[in-house]
Amino acid sequence: MDREIVKKVAHLARLELSESELNAITNKLTLVLQHFEAISQVNTEGVIPLVTPVDIEYRFREDVVEGDISVDEVMQNAPSRQGNLFKVPPVI
Amino acid sequence: MSYQDYECVIGLEIHAQLKTQSKMFSADSTQFEAADNAHTSIVSVGMPGALPTPNRLGVELAIKTGLALGCTIRERSVFARKNYFYPDLPKGYQISQYDEPLCENGRVIYLLDGAKKEVRIVRAHLEEDAGKSVHIGDASLINFNRSGIPLLEVVSAPDMRSPREAAQYAKSLRQILRYIGVCDGNLEEGSMRCDCNISVRKKGETRLGTKVEIKNINSFRFVEKALEYEFERQVTLLHSGQAIVQETRLWDPDKNRTFSMRIKEDADDYRYFPDPDLLPLVVSSSYIEGLKKQLPELPLERFERFQKQYGLPSYDAEILTEEKEIADYFERAVVVCGNPKAVSNWMMTDLMRLLNDQKLDINQCPISSESLGELVQLIDSGTISGKIGKTLINEMWDTGRRPKQIVEEKGLVQISDEKVIEGIIDAVLKDHSHAVAEYRSGKTKSFGFLVGQIMKACKGQANPQKVNELLKKKLES
């Protein structure tokens, strides 16, 4: 695991890391990857990848409108607003 | 430099909003016209701990589309999280499908200038829409009404070689989606959106060039224009020895150009992984078969059948099969009167003009298909003249009444009785003796004038053939 990859992943996750954090996390992630490398030694030929450990019947919802939350409720979570729209720093 | 040395390679990603009442993973409404943030739920605004439940109809419409596009339907597909940060995506990821999409390997066959073209469909997968951001100077404003709306992303292979082909393919796909009733295809309201991938290369080259994605295109005309602009831009760059940057560009319809939006992230950057909140989507083959049986005849098949079965010219067949409802209307009217070409003529001239003038859909047409069939029947049986038919259709439009009823009440029945017609002719000849003299002195133009006067005198009701015959006989006797 090199520092550049860690920097990139941190950027994608919008995390700001200091130099010392970057060093520490690079070391830790290297250990994590080594752990997975060890696991990947296991022969999995013919084994279907496990998407979920719960083997239960699929559940659908019928196409019926219900359970909207009100504008007032949803806007309670807006740190900043303009009318009934969430206002955030400019992003293009 | 010559553009002719280069060719473009185009693939389209079309997002179709599936026609559901509620969202893909929650029960809030998908209605287009709504107040800001009026249609949200704890799922669609991404509250921590809120769990998604898939909409049965959303899955059903996606499968139907896949079937209409000739795709293989995966009986077990997986929802994945596509991770990226943008304020209109409050969860920090979009629920989509990645390596195991619902539909794969289909094709669309469409007509371009009368010739059949084929575009392969790589995949069609289910996903949810994000919210909508509006940018105002110092801030962005977010509305989550769209968040969670079911979308089917239809990804074509890079099979198109000209902007026109691309626009025509997109139109044909829209037509299919509307025929099978899964999407209303309204580009302006965003219920169908088109992203274009385009690269250029020297003719004869088999390797693909670096592709650029163009977003934000909301009409087929702009698909064509944006691609034309982009083709020229890329060729110019290559020709001057510069490299194409892999990026996302936006189409600016006011300035007629594309501009760079951001450097495109690689698929890796989205860190896709199976969504642990959702089980794999499992559908049985019998369920898929059942949906296949519900599919209507598709536009191209119907276009070909209309020519074969009804003997219509391809021009008529194309217009009449453009929308399923128009084709249905036509066929119902033909059942009544048995004269396909006459129904086609009435529909393509008078009916479509009336509909266009009032900006109405065929579904809202005040003249029923049965009434139109009856009108054709009245003319074919000689009950009324074609000329009266023209007046009659306007009256049918205004009142919504059946033509037979109007004809009986107003006494518009065509006069074929020779005695009656002769009486009218005699009166007209008497009033216009100079025209008669002119005709007899060799000015045959007067004949038309006299016919006009006779038709006027009988309010267009006399059988025109008989009028011609009898008038000639009288003038030349």
Side-chain angles (χ1 to χ4, degrees), chain B residues 8-12 160-168 170 194-200 212-214 217 220-235 251 256-258:
Chain B
C8 56
V9 176
I10 302 167
L12 301 187
M160 289 149 277
R161 293 291 173 272
S162 75
R164 262 196 79 216
E165 269 180 48
Q168 191 59 31
C194 190
D195 299 340
C196 307
N197 289 301
I198 172 172
S199 62
V200 300
V212 164
E213 184 179 13
I214 316 170
I217 307 180
F220 296 124
R221 200 164 54 89
F222 291 158
V223 165
E224 210 169 324
K225 281 183 138 182
L227 287 168
E228 274 163 11
Y229 174 87
E230 196 53 28
F231 174 62
E232 288 182 18
R233 187 187 72 89
Q234 292 186 20
V235 170
W251 169 247
N256 264 331
R257 63 180 193 94
T258 63

Short mmCIF file of all heavy atoms in Angstrom, two decimals, chain B residues 8-12 160-168 170 194-200 212-214 217 220-235 251 256-258:
data_model
loop_
_atom_site.label_atom_id
_atom_site.label_comp_id
_atom_site.label_asym_id
_atom_site.label_seq_id
_atom_site.Cartn_x
_atom_site.Cartn_y
_atom_site.Cartn_z
N CYS B 8 -16.61 9.00 -36.61
CA CYS B 8 -16.88 9.05 -35.19
C CYS B 8 -17.51 7.73 -34.76
O CYS B 8 -18.13 7.01 -35.55
CB CYS B 8 -17.76 10.23 -34.82
SG CYS B 8 -19.31 10.33 -35.66
N VAL B 9 -17.29 7.41 -33.51
CA VAL B 9 -17.83 6.18 -32.93
C VAL B 9 -18.69 6.63 -31.74
O VAL B 9 -18.20 7.29 -30.83
CB VAL B 9 -16.70 5.26 -32.45
CG1 VAL B 9 -17.25 4.03 -31.76
CG2 VAL B 9 -15.81 4.87 -33.64
N ILE B 10 -19.97 6.30 -31.82
CA ILE B 10 -20.90 6.83 -30.81
C ILE B 10 -21.64 5.71 -30.10
O ILE B 10 -22.09 4.75 -30.73
CB ILE B 10 -21.94 7.77 -31.48
CG1 ILE B 10 -21.23 8.92 -32.20
CG2 ILE B 10 -22.93 8.30 -30.46
CD1 ILE B 10 -22.14 9.70 -33.14
N GLY B 11 -21.74 5.83 -28.81
CA GLY B 11 -22.59 4.94 -28.02
C GLY B 11 -23.45 5.82 -27.11
O GLY B 11 -23.02 6.89 -26.71
N LEU B 12 -24.68 5.40 -26.84
CA LEU B 12 -25.55 6.22 -26.00
C LEU B 12 -25.91 5.50 -24.71
O LEU B 12 -26.08 4.28 -24.69
CB LEU B 12 -26.84 6.59 -26.74
CG LEU B 12 -26.74 7.37 -28.05
CD1 LEU B 12 -28.13 7.77 -28.51
CD2 LEU B 12 -25.89 8.61 -27.90
N MET B 160 -22.81 3.32 -33.45
CA MET B 160 -23.29 4.36 -34.36
C MET B 160 -22.12 5.14 -34.94
O MET B 160 -21.13 5.38 -34.25
CB MET B 160 -24.27 5.27 -33.64
CG MET B 160 -25.59 4.56 -33.37
SD MET B 160 -26.40 5.15 -31.87
CE MET B 160 -25.57 4.20 -30.62
N ARG B 161 -22.24 5.49 -36.22
CA ARG B 161 -21.13 6.13 -36.92
C ARG B 161 -21.43 7.54 -37.38
O ARG B 161 -20.63 8.16 -38.08
CB ARG B 161 -20.72 5.27 -38.14
CG ARG B 161 -20.11 3.93 -37.79
CD ARG B 161 -18.74 4.07 -37.14
NE ARG B 161 -18.24 2.80 -36.68
CZ ARG B 161 -18.50 2.28 -35.47
NH1 ARG B 161 -19.24 2.97 -34.60
NH2 ARG B 161 -18.02 1.11 -35.11
N SER B 162 -22.61 8.05 -37.04
CA SER B 162 -22.90 9.44 -37.37
C SER B 162 -23.89 10.00 -36.37
O SER B 162 -24.66 9.26 -35.76
CB SER B 162 -23.48 9.54 -38.79
OG SER B 162 -24.83 9.11 -38.78
N PRO B 163 -23.84 11.33 -36.17
CA PRO B 163 -24.79 11.97 -35.25
C PRO B 163 -26.25 11.67 -35.62
O PRO B 163 -27.09 11.49 -34.75
CB PRO B 163 -24.48 13.45 -35.39
CG PRO B 163 -23.03 13.50 -35.78
CD PRO B 163 -22.84 12.30 -36.67
N ARG B 164 -26.53 11.60 -36.92
CA ARG B 164 -27.91 11.32 -37.33
C ARG B 164 -28.36 9.94 -36.90
O ARG B 164 -29.48 9.73 -36.47
CB ARG B 164 -28.05 11.44 -38.86
CG ARG B 164 -28.58 12.78 -39.30
CD ARG B 164 -29.05 12.71 -40.72
NE ARG B 164 -30.35 12.10 -40.84
CZ ARG B 164 -30.71 11.31 -41.86
NH1 ARG B 164 -29.85 11.04 -42.82
NH2 ARG B 164 -31.92 10.81 -41.91
N GLU B 165 -27.45 8.95 -37.09
CA GLU B 165 -27.76 7.60 -36.65
C GLU B 165 -28.08 7.58 -35.16
O GLU B 165 -29.02 6.93 -34.73
CB GLU B 165 -26.54 6.68 -36.88
CG GLU B 165 -26.51 6.00 -38.23
CD GLU B 165 -25.27 5.12 -38.37
OE1 GLU B 165 -24.94 4.33 -37.46
OE2 GLU B 165 -24.62 5.25 -39.41
N ALA B 166 -27.27 8.31 -34.40
CA ALA B 166 -27.46 8.33 -32.95
C ALA B 166 -28.82 8.91 -32.59
O ALA B 166 -29.55 8.35 -31.76
CB ALA B 166 -26.34 9.13 -32.29
N ALA B 167 -29.18 10.02 -33.23
CA ALA B 167 -30.47 10.64 -32.92
C ALA B 167 -31.62 9.72 -33.31
O ALA B 167 -32.61 9.59 -32.59
CB ALA B 167 -30.58 11.98 -33.64
N GLN B 168 -31.47 9.04 -34.44
CA GLN B 168 -32.54 8.16 -34.91
C GLN B 168 -32.69 6.94 -34.00
O GLN B 168 -33.80 6.51 -33.71
CB GLN B 168 -32.25 7.73 -36.36
CG GLN B 168 -33.40 7.04 -37.06
CD GLN B 168 -34.65 7.90 -37.13
OE1 GLN B 168 -34.56 9.13 -37.19
NE2 GLN B 168 -35.81 7.29 -37.09
N ALA B 170 -31.99 6.93 -30.81
CA ALA B 170 -32.62 7.42 -29.58
C ALA B 170 -34.13 7.58 -29.76
O ALA B 170 -34.92 7.22 -28.89
CB ALA B 170 -31.98 8.75 -29.16
N CYS B 194 -30.45 11.59 -22.10
CA CYS B 194 -29.53 10.96 -23.02
C CYS B 194 -28.10 11.44 -22.80
O CYS B 194 -27.84 12.63 -22.90
CB CYS B 194 -30.01 11.32 -24.43
SG CYS B 194 -29.19 10.41 -25.69
N ASP B 195 -27.21 10.52 -22.47
CA ASP B 195 -25.79 10.85 -22.40
C ASP B 195 -25.12 10.20 -23.60
O ASP B 195 -25.39 9.05 -23.92
CB ASP B 195 -25.15 10.30 -21.13
CG ASP B 195 -25.79 10.88 -19.87
OD1 ASP B 195 -26.43 11.95 -19.98
OD2 ASP B 195 -25.65 10.27 -18.80
N CYS B 196 -24.24 10.96 -24.26
CA CYS B 196 -23.61 10.45 -25.48
C CYS B 196 -22.12 10.24 -25.25
O CYS B 196 -21.44 11.12 -24.74
CB CYS B 196 -23.77 11.46 -26.61
SG CYS B 196 -25.45 12.00 -26.90
N ASN B 197 -21.62 9.08 -25.65
CA ASN B 197 -20.19 8.84 -25.64
C ASN B 197 -19.70 8.89 -27.07
O ASN B 197 -20.24 8.21 -27.94
CB ASN B 197 -19.88 7.46 -25.05
CG ASN B 197 -20.12 7.43 -23.57
OD1 ASN B 197 -19.52 8.20 -22.83
ND2 ASN B 197 -21.02 6.56 -23.13
N ILE B 198 -18.70 9.72 -27.29
CA ILE B 198 -18.19 9.84 -28.66
C ILE B 198 -16.67 9.88 -28.69
O ILE B 198 -16.04 10.53 -27.86
CB ILE B 198 -18.80 11.08 -29.38
CG1 ILE B 198 -18.11 11.29 -30.74
CG2 ILE B 198 -18.72 12.33 -28.53
CD1 ILE B 198 -18.74 12.35 -31.60
N SER B 199 -16.10 9.14 -29.62
CA SER B 199 -14.67 9.24 -29.88
C SER B 199 -14.50 9.31 -31.39
O SER B 199 -15.43 9.00 -32.14
CB SER B 199 -13.93 8.02 -29.31
OG SER B 199 -14.38 6.84 -29.94
N VAL B 200 -13.35 9.74 -31.82
CA VAL B 200 -13.10 9.77 -33.26
C VAL B 200 -11.83 8.98 -33.57
O VAL B 200 -11.00 8.75 -32.70
CB VAL B 200 -12.96 11.22 -33.81
CG1 VAL B 200 -14.20 12.01 -33.55
CG2 VAL B 200 -11.74 11.90 -33.23
N VAL B 212 -15.27 10.83 -25.00
CA VAL B 212 -15.75 11.95 -24.21
C VAL B 212 -17.24 11.73 -24.00
O VAL B 212 -17.93 11.23 -24.89
CB VAL B 212 -15.50 13.27 -24.99
CG1 VAL B 212 -16.31 14.41 -24.43
CG2 VAL B 212 -14.02 13.60 -24.99
N GLU B 213 -17.72 12.03 -22.80
CA GLU B 213 -19.15 11.87 -22.53
C GLU B 213 -19.81 13.24 -22.55
O GLU B 213 -19.30 14.19 -21.95
CB GLU B 213 -19.33 11.20 -21.15
CG GLU B 213 -20.78 10.91 -20.83
CD GLU B 213 -20.98 10.22 -19.48
OE1 GLU B 213 -20.03 10.20 -18.68
OE2 GLU B 213 -22.09 9.74 -19.24
N ILE B 214 -20.93 13.34 -23.25
CA ILE B 214 -21.67 14.61 -23.25
C ILE B 214 -22.98 14.41 -22.50
O ILE B 214 -23.75 13.51 -22.81
CB ILE B 214 -22.00 15.11 -24.67
CG1 ILE B 214 -20.79 14.95 -25.59
CG2 ILE B 214 -22.44 16.56 -24.65
CD1 ILE B 214 -21.13 15.20 -27.05
N ILE B 217 -28.37 16.73 -22.36
CA ILE B 217 -29.00 16.94 -23.66
C ILE B 217 -30.49 16.60 -23.53
O ILE B 217 -30.82 15.48 -23.17
CB ILE B 217 -28.36 16.04 -24.73
CG1 ILE B 217 -26.84 16.25 -24.70
CG2 ILE B 217 -28.93 16.35 -26.10
CD1 ILE B 217 -26.09 15.43 -25.70
N PHE B 220 -33.75 15.49 -29.17
CA PHE B 220 -33.05 14.70 -30.18
C PHE B 220 -32.25 15.59 -31.13
O PHE B 220 -31.21 15.21 -31.64
CB PHE B 220 -34.05 13.85 -30.96
CG PHE B 220 -34.72 12.82 -30.09
CD1 PHE B 220 -36.10 12.77 -30.00
CD2 PHE B 220 -33.98 11.92 -29.35
CE1 PHE B 220 -36.73 11.84 -29.19
CE2 PHE B 220 -34.59 10.98 -28.54
CZ PHE B 220 -35.97 10.95 -28.46
N ARG B 221 -32.78 16.80 -31.35
CA ARG B 221 -32.09 17.74 -32.22
C ARG B 221 -30.73 18.10 -31.60
O ARG B 221 -29.72 18.18 -32.27
CB ARG B 221 -32.93 19.01 -32.40
CG ARG B 221 -32.58 19.85 -33.60
CD ARG B 221 -33.70 20.83 -33.89
NE ARG B 221 -34.00 21.63 -32.70
CZ ARG B 221 -33.40 22.78 -32.41
NH1 ARG B 221 -32.48 23.28 -33.20
NH2 ARG B 221 -33.72 23.45 -31.32
N PHE B 222 -30.75 18.27 -30.26
CA PHE B 222 -29.50 18.61 -29.57
C PHE B 222 -28.55 17.42 -29.54
O PHE B 222 -27.33 17.60 -29.52
CB PHE B 222 -29.78 19.12 -28.16
CG PHE B 222 -30.45 20.47 -28.12
CD1 PHE B 222 -31.17 20.88 -27.01
CD2 PHE B 222 -30.36 21.34 -29.21
CE1 PHE B 222 -31.80 22.13 -26.97
CE2 PHE B 222 -30.98 22.58 -29.19
CZ PHE B 222 -31.69 22.97 -28.07
N VAL B 223 -29.06 16.20 -29.51
CA VAL B 223 -28.19 15.01 -29.58
C VAL B 223 -27.35 15.13 -30.85
O VAL B 223 -26.12 15.01 -30.84
CB VAL B 223 -29.02 13.70 -29.63
CG1 VAL B 223 -28.15 12.52 -30.05
CG2 VAL B 223 -29.66 13.42 -28.27
N GLU B 224 -28.04 15.43 -31.94
CA GLU B 224 -27.36 15.51 -33.22
C GLU B 224 -26.38 16.69 -33.26
O GLU B 224 -25.22 16.53 -33.65
CB GLU B 224 -28.43 15.68 -34.31
CG GLU B 224 -28.02 15.08 -35.63
CD GLU B 224 -29.19 15.02 -36.61
OE1 GLU B 224 -30.34 14.78 -36.18
OE2 GLU B 224 -28.95 15.23 -37.80
N LYS B 225 -26.84 17.84 -32.77
CA LYS B 225 -25.99 19.03 -32.82
C LYS B 225 -24.76 18.90 -31.92
O LYS B 225 -23.65 19.25 -32.31
CB LYS B 225 -26.79 20.26 -32.36
CG LYS B 225 -27.70 20.83 -33.42
CD LYS B 225 -28.37 22.07 -32.90
CE LYS B 225 -28.41 23.17 -33.94
NZ LYS B 225 -29.02 24.39 -33.39
N ALA B 226 -24.98 18.38 -30.72
CA ALA B 226 -23.87 18.25 -29.77
C ALA B 226 -22.82 17.28 -30.34
O ALA B 226 -21.62 17.52 -30.23
CB ALA B 226 -24.38 17.75 -28.42
N LEU B 227 -23.28 16.19 -30.95
CA LEU B 227 -22.35 15.21 -31.50
C LEU B 227 -21.60 15.77 -32.70
O LEU B 227 -20.41 15.52 -32.88
CB LEU B 227 -23.09 13.93 -31.87
CG LEU B 227 -23.54 13.07 -30.68
CD1 LEU B 227 -24.50 11.98 -31.11
CD2 LEU B 227 -22.34 12.46 -29.96
N GLU B 228 -22.30 16.56 -33.51
CA GLU B 228 -21.63 17.19 -34.65
C GLU B 228 -20.53 18.13 -34.18
O GLU B 228 -19.41 18.12 -34.67
CB GLU B 228 -22.65 17.98 -35.50
CG GLU B 228 -23.35 17.12 -36.52
CD GLU B 228 -24.62 17.77 -37.06
OE1 GLU B 228 -24.86 18.98 -36.80
OE2 GLU B 228 -25.38 17.07 -37.75
N TYR B 229 -20.88 18.93 -33.18
CA TYR B 229 -19.90 19.87 -32.63
C TYR B 229 -18.69 19.11 -32.08
O TYR B 229 -17.54 19.45 -32.34
CB TYR B 229 -20.53 20.72 -31.51
CG TYR B 229 -19.53 21.59 -30.81
CD1 TYR B 229 -19.22 22.86 -31.30
CD2 TYR B 229 -18.84 21.13 -29.69
CE1 TYR B 229 -18.27 23.65 -30.67
CE2 TYR B 229 -17.88 21.91 -29.07
CZ TYR B 229 -17.60 23.17 -29.57
OH TYR B 229 -16.65 23.94 -28.95
N GLU B 230 -18.99 18.06 -31.32
CA GLU B 230 -17.93 17.30 -30.65
C GLU B 230 -17.04 16.58 -31.65
O GLU B 230 -15.82 16.51 -31.48
CB GLU B 230 -18.59 16.32 -29.67
CG GLU B 230 -17.68 15.72 -28.64
CD GLU B 230 -16.88 16.72 -27.81
OE1 GLU B 230 -17.33 17.86 -27.63
OE2 GLU B 230 -15.78 16.34 -27.38
N PHE B 231 -17.63 16.08 -32.72
CA PHE B 231 -16.84 15.42 -33.77
C PHE B 231 -15.81 16.41 -34.34
O PHE B 231 -14.62 16.11 -34.42
CB PHE B 231 -17.79 14.91 -34.87
CG PHE B 231 -17.08 14.34 -36.08
CD1 PHE B 231 -16.26 13.23 -35.96
CD2 PHE B 231 -17.24 14.92 -37.33
CE1 PHE B 231 -15.61 12.70 -37.08
CE2 PHE B 231 -16.59 14.40 -38.45
CZ PHE B 231 -15.77 13.29 -38.32
N GLU B 232 -16.30 17.60 -34.68
CA GLU B 232 -15.39 18.59 -35.26
C GLU B 232 -14.32 19.02 -34.27
O GLU B 232 -13.16 19.16 -34.62
CB GLU B 232 -16.19 19.80 -35.75
CG GLU B 232 -16.97 19.46 -37.00
CD GLU B 232 -17.74 20.64 -37.56
OE1 GLU B 232 -17.43 21.79 -37.20
OE2 GLU B 232 -18.66 20.40 -38.36
N ARG B 233 -14.72 19.18 -33.01
CA ARG B 233 -13.76 19.61 -31.99
C ARG B 233 -12.64 18.57 -31.84
O ARG B 233 -11.46 18.89 -31.83
CB ARG B 233 -14.47 19.80 -30.65
CG ARG B 233 -13.60 20.41 -29.56
CD ARG B 233 -14.29 20.42 -28.20
NE ARG B 233 -14.39 19.08 -27.63
CZ ARG B 233 -13.45 18.53 -26.86
NH1 ARG B 233 -12.36 19.20 -26.56
NH2 ARG B 233 -13.61 17.31 -26.40
N GLN B 234 -13.05 17.29 -31.77
CA GLN B 234 -12.05 16.25 -31.56
C GLN B 234 -11.14 16.07 -32.77
O GLN B 234 -9.94 15.87 -32.62
CB GLN B 234 -12.74 14.92 -31.20
CG GLN B 234 -13.42 14.97 -29.84
CD GLN B 234 -13.99 13.62 -29.41
OE1 GLN B 234 -13.60 12.58 -29.91
NE2 GLN B 234 -14.91 13.64 -28.46
N VAL B 235 -11.73 16.15 -33.96
CA VAL B 235 -10.90 15.99 -35.17
C VAL B 235 -9.88 17.14 -35.24
O VAL B 235 -8.71 16.92 -35.53
CB VAL B 235 -11.78 15.95 -36.44
CG1 VAL B 235 -10.91 16.04 -37.69
CG2 VAL B 235 -12.61 14.67 -36.47
N TRP B 251 -23.52 20.10 -22.82
CA TRP B 251 -23.99 20.78 -24.02
C TRP B 251 -24.65 22.08 -23.62
O TRP B 251 -25.51 22.11 -22.75
CB TRP B 251 -24.98 19.88 -24.77
CG TRP B 251 -25.71 20.57 -25.88
CD1 TRP B 251 -27.04 20.85 -25.94
CD2 TRP B 251 -25.14 21.05 -27.10
NE1 TRP B 251 -27.33 21.48 -27.12
CE2 TRP B 251 -26.19 21.62 -27.85
CE3 TRP B 251 -23.85 21.07 -27.63
CZ2 TRP B 251 -25.99 22.19 -29.11
CZ3 TRP B 251 -23.66 21.64 -28.89
CH2 TRP B 251 -24.72 22.19 -29.61
N ASN B 256 -24.47 26.69 -28.63
CA ASN B 256 -24.21 25.65 -29.62
C ASN B 256 -22.83 25.02 -29.48
O ASN B 256 -22.12 24.84 -30.47
CB ASN B 256 -24.32 26.22 -31.04
CG ASN B 256 -25.69 25.97 -31.60
OD1 ASN B 256 -26.34 24.99 -31.23
ND2 ASN B 256 -26.13 26.85 -32.46
N ARG B 257 -22.42 24.74 -28.27
CA ARG B 257 -21.11 24.11 -28.10
C ARG B 257 -21.13 23.25 -26.84
O ARG B 257 -22.05 23.35 -26.02
CB ARG B 257 -20.01 25.17 -28.01
CG ARG B 257 -20.17 26.07 -26.80
CD ARG B 257 -19.07 27.11 -26.74
NE ARG B 257 -19.07 27.74 -25.41
CZ ARG B 257 -18.30 27.34 -24.40
NH1 ARG B 257 -17.46 26.35 -24.54
NH2 ARG B 257 -18.37 27.93 -23.22
N THR B 258 -20.11 22.41 -26.70
CA THR B 258 -19.97 21.64 -25.47
C THR B 258 -18.86 22.29 -24.66
O THR B 258 -17.99 22.96 -25.20
CB THR B 258 -19.58 20.18 -25.76
OG1 THR B 258 -18.30 20.15 -26.39
CG2 THR B 258 -20.60 19.49 -26.65
#
